[in-house]
Amino acid sequence: MGLQIDLHEGEHKLLAQRIEEIITSQPSLFPYSEAIELLAQLYASKAIHRLSEKQTILEEGSESKEIAQDFVNIDVNSIEKSEPRTVGAEHLMLQMAEQRKLS
């Protein structure tokens, strides 16, 4: 007998989000309903199983190729100048400070 759980249309996004959390091993930020959790576990399990089957087929069907690795040694004491970059809110605040001549 198959599993029959009906979700409201608004819960589909929550289901997809929970499936992604399970597949990527991310903890959930808030608890989900029992129905969403049950379906998410079921669908994530199926997706992981299918992905592992495809990976096995790809590995068996292709010859192993060695990837050439290129390593470079760097003397960190030889660095003369470093210009760290900021992003996001830090960048915005830096721009505002420069405009107001605070820095």
Side-chain angles (χ1 to χ4, degrees):
M1 183 191 312
L3 180 67
Q4 182 65 31
I5 298 176
D6 293 325
L7 294 178
H8 300 304
E9 190 173 324
E11 294 178 307
H12 292 175
K13 184 174 180 179
L14 291 173
L15 176 60
Q17 181 178 334
R18 181 61 185 135
I19 293 169
E20 181 180 3
E21 290 172 353
I22 294 168
I23 290 174
T24 59
S25 300
Q26 295 178 356
S28 59
L29 296 176
F30 54 90
Y32 292 93
S33 71
E34 187 176 330
I36 289 176
E37 185 65 32
L38 185 62
L39 286 173
Q41 292 289 339
L42 175 69
Y43 293 140
S45 174
K46 288 182 178 184
I48 291 169
H49 181 71
R50 284 187 183 166
L51 289 172
S52 66
E53 283 180 344
K54 287 181 181 180
Q55 183 65 31
T56 302
I57 291 169
L58 288 174
E59 288 173 357
E60 291 173 354
S62 66
E63 296 178 15
S64 63
K65 298 177 183 176
E66 291 195 29
I67 299 173
Q69 296 180 359
D70 188 17
F71 294 99
V72 178
N73 291 325
I74 298 174
D75 181 8
V76 293
N77 295 323
S78 69
I79 297 174
E80 295 177 11
K81 187 175 181 182
S82 176
E83 295 183 28
R85 306 278 186 217
T86 60
V87 294
E90 295 88 359
H91 181 71
L92 178 62
M93 294 306 294
L94 179 62
Q95 294 298 316
M96 290 173 62
E98 288 175 356
Q99 287 178 356
R100 295 179 188 257
K101 306 215 189 272
L102 297 174
S103 58

